[in-house]
Amino acid sequence: MKSLVVYYSLEGHTRFIADMIIEELGADRLELKPKKEIPKSGFLKFFLGGKSVIFHERPKLLTAIPELDSYDLIVIGTPVWASSFTAPINTFLAHCGINGRKLALFACHAGGGTDKCFDRIKKILRNNQILGTIDFRNPAQENKDIIKTQIQTWISGFTENKR
């Protein structure tokens, strides 16, 4: 099964999880990089990040989006900001035209909001099959082996007998 992991990571938490998923699936990587990044700390991080979600911003990306039709599975990962997905993910979803695909979703957060985040992504991607969702609270502070086991169990739930 040919897989692609698409994600945005401001501080590295989502990249940390994406790396494990990529390794487990043998997937290709698509890290979304906005032309203008928000600060990684301080008040402006929260203000600008929250504003970008509330106003459904679609920042220009430095990342070229490949042809997605060649992938059997697309895994999308995002930090949770204001109970939603990030603006770079919004840009990707608005411009990639995903339709009739098999998808899986993951999110990283510091305090919740994942249910609303996943619901918002699922609404946009309603013409696709969502195979599974998983979230990680402060993954950099957790035991790497435990996270790896969680990822393996999650992935096996939708890839068993399909490899």
Side-chain angles (χ1 to χ4, degrees):
M1 174 168 56
K2 189 171 180 186
S3 305
L4 175 67
V5 176
V6 179
Y7 65 96
Y8 169 73
S9 186
L10 178 65
E11 297 175 314
H13 301 286
T14 307
R15 182 181 308 109
F16 173 76
I17 298 299
D19 288 343
M20 288 187 181
I21 294 170
I22 288 165
E23 181 180 330
E24 184 65 25
L25 287 172
D28 292 341
R29 170 190 311 270
L30 179 61
E31 182 173 6
L32 303 175
K33 299 270 189 184
K35 278 190 174 184
K36 185 177 180 186
E37 188 65 86
I38 68 166
K40 292 185 189 318
S41 63
F43 171 75
L44 280 178
K45 169 188 162 187
F46 296 102
F47 178 77
L48 295 174
K51 178 184 89 56
S52 70
V53 168
I54 291 167
F55 290 106
H56 307 286
E57 292 178 0
R58 295 179 183 164
K60 291 186 180 190
L61 300 176
L62 297 171
T63 312
I65 308 298
E67 178 59 45
L68 300 178
D69 289 341
S70 64
Y71 293 99
D72 302 305
L73 172 66
I74 301 170
V75 180
I76 301 171
T78 183
V80 177
W81 291 356
S83 297
S84 193
F85 50 90
T86 61
I89 293 291
N90 192 36
T91 300
F92 171 77
L93 295 175
H95 295 291
C96 67
I98 298 176
N99 193 21
R101 314 297 304 182
K102 291 182 179 177
L103 309 174
L105 309 173
F106 73 95
C108 297
H109 60 94
T114 54
D115 290 340
K116 287 181 181 179
C117 176
F118 288 146
D119 287 346
R120 288 176 174 143
I121 294 175
K122 287 176 182 178
K123 184 177 178 182
I124 292 170
L125 298 171
R126 64 185 164 277
N127 294 326
N128 296 277
Q129 182 183 4
I130 308 294
L131 301 176
T133 63
I134 191 169
D135 68 279
F136 300 91
R137 183 176 181 150
N138 298 319
Q141 298 173 4
E142 296 298 323
N143 180 298
K144 187 175 180 178
D145 292 331
I146 292 172
I147 290 175
K148 187 172 184 169
T149 300
Q150 290 172 325
I151 289 170
Q152 289 170 336
T153 302
W154 177 63
I155 289 172
S156 70
F158 56 82
T159 60
E160 198 133 315
N161 301 322
K162 294 177 181 131
R163 288 186 182 190

